[in-house]
Amino acid sequence: MQALPLHWLIPCVLGVCALPIGCARPSPANEPSRANPRPDSPVHAESSWIAFVDEFVEAYFEANPTVAVEKGRHEFDGVLPDCSESSIKAEIARLKRMRERALAFEAPTLTKDQQFERDYVVSRIDNDLFWLDVAKVPFRNPSHYIEVLNPSVYVVRQYASPEVRLRAFIKYAESVARVAPNIRKNLRTPMPTTYLKYGIAGFNGLADFYRKDARLAFDGVGDAAVQRELVQSSEAAAVALASIASWLEAELPSGTGPEPLGPVRYAQMLKMTEGVEIPVAALEAACRADLERNLAALRAECEKIAPGVPVAECVERVAAKKPKGGAVAGARDHLVELHRFVVDHDIVTIPGPEKAEVAEAPAFNRQNFAYIEIPGPYEKNLPSVYYIAPPDPAWSKAEQDAYVRGDSALLFTSVHEVWPGHFLQYVHATRAKSPIGRLFVGYAFAEGWAHYSEEMMWEKGLRGDPETHIGQLTNALLRSVRMLSSIGLHTKGMTVEQSEQMFRELAFQDAGNARQQASRGTYDPGYLNYTLGKLMIRKLRSDWCASRGGETAWKEFHDTLLSYGGPPLPLVRRAMLPGNTGPVL
């Protein structure tokens, strides 16, 4: 996913990774346990752990109903908590209680798989606690709310009849109008200008969606009375969201520079969200080494096809070769080619008949050139859709031509999103033994696997020509610069302008994309996880396969890795290499 989508919060267009809403319905301090003793009671029985997992999942959905809907639990349709400060504090307290209860299950009383599952649960809780309690994003970062308020699941995912989905949408729109004042109250200024601009674009974009696209999608559904409810509820939601955008716009003159996490909280982020305990300097060194490796490969490939030509010009020449029939048609052809390549080269098991379709992105969600919508594990017989956004028809022909990705770059976008990237990882995750693995896929696992897949497919011989390799390398360089920018912006005093320059010079991005990528780093420090995840997977593959025949064991490695769902990669490493104390990078 190259550019920041409207529904970034890791992101999560995949439908497989859950993120904290943090505006849960308040729960009593002594919330009832449906299946377990209280935290101060001895907890040892294997059966009570199974019950605890069930309770954890149900309690998580109660606290995060929009996540539940994304997963396919439609009894939560239209539900949105009040998002008040008191409910955020209540959710933090609930998570801490659940963490204590999970840790009360001692290792000797659990099976090996249950010990892993317990650590997986704790990692999920720690991830949410970092963003809610340590980083306090509900009070500082407008992007925290954009995904919560995005009702595209009711419009795009055809999980029920239009009449049923319209009723759910109306209920949701009414909830948005109710909670918007609390969101406005939570957000505190002054805040960084990049946050303000993101919030203005996001809230205005959602307001436009409620007024236009949602009404158009449900045009003619139901009787006149229902249509009046649609207009009234969507207009109330639009007015409430546009009001937040207007307030943020009025705050622009007092906007500040970036608000870095700082070295201490950055290290906390790595530990609590991804289980990574590596000095930031070591992470930066590993990233720079990967960057230099890819730059050297890019120079070598450019010398083959354009001797003596500057690398930036070489990259432009390759990008000018567009997919036949346009991006959507090109992506459809790619999926056929990539599926055949995965099967013919026996790269990874395809465990089921699920397929991904390709379609033009709907008008309300074209902030990202490409992304995939994957139905949650509770949905039945719904396709995944790999969306390609067309260029804005208002742009000049030159701008439209430049926007459409070159064929080689689009090929690896298709690898990343579908075969064998996000989509295939989802197919495996839905078959994980643990319900936690089926429901919760982390940032570094999801994006790390998808990014790893790009390089791995090249290594296995995909096409094999220099232009194809250049497409893979330019994608890799973009992700490496994201990691360096995240570290620089949040721990080393890097400015947004310096980050933007790095995207232009080292990742060969145009001015607009470079500016957007640099801004994203201020409010999405986790975008280092594309490269961080890839590097951890590559190191694990090297160590695991070393005693199993090297490359001949790659398929077994891939199947084993994906069988866990999507936990923090250091946790997977400990499970796959028990007793190994070597570095994760």
Side-chain angles (χ1 to χ4, degrees), residues 31-66:
E31 62 182 10
S33 168
R34 294 188 293 272
N36 286 289
R38 302 310 304 171
D40 55 355
S41 301
V43 183
H44 296 297
E46 219 176 272
S47 61
S48 70
W49 170 253
I50 296 171
F52 175 82
V53 170
D54 291 341
E55 181 189 353
F56 174 79
V57 170
E58 292 306 312
Y60 198 94
F61 287 164
E62 286 284 338
N64 298 274
T66 60

Side-chain angles (χ1 to χ4, degrees), residues 440-493:
F440 300 106
V441 178
Y443 202 164
F445 195 107
E447 296 300 352
W449 167 259
H451 185 30
Y452 161 84
S453 294
E454 299 168 37
E455 186 166 329
M456 178 270 294
M457 290 284 277
W458 168 256
E459 290 174 318
K460 295 298 288 185
L462 181 62
R463 292 189 180 175
D465 60 277
E467 290 187 355
T468 298
H469 198 193
I470 289 169
Q472 180 263 314
L473 290 167
T474 52
N475 281 328
L477 290 168
L478 172 64
R479 276 58 172 271
S480 292
V481 176
R482 282 178 181 166
M483 184 169 176
L484 293 176
S485 284
S486 174
I487 292 169
L489 288 165
H490 289 277
T491 72
K492 302 181 71 175

Side-chain angles (χ1 to χ4, degrees), residues 149 176 180 183 203-204 206-207 210 236-246:
L149 301 175
V176 169
I183 293 172
F203 288 119
N204 275 332
L206 283 169
Y210 277 90
V239 168
L241 295 173
S243 175
I244 299 175
S246 296

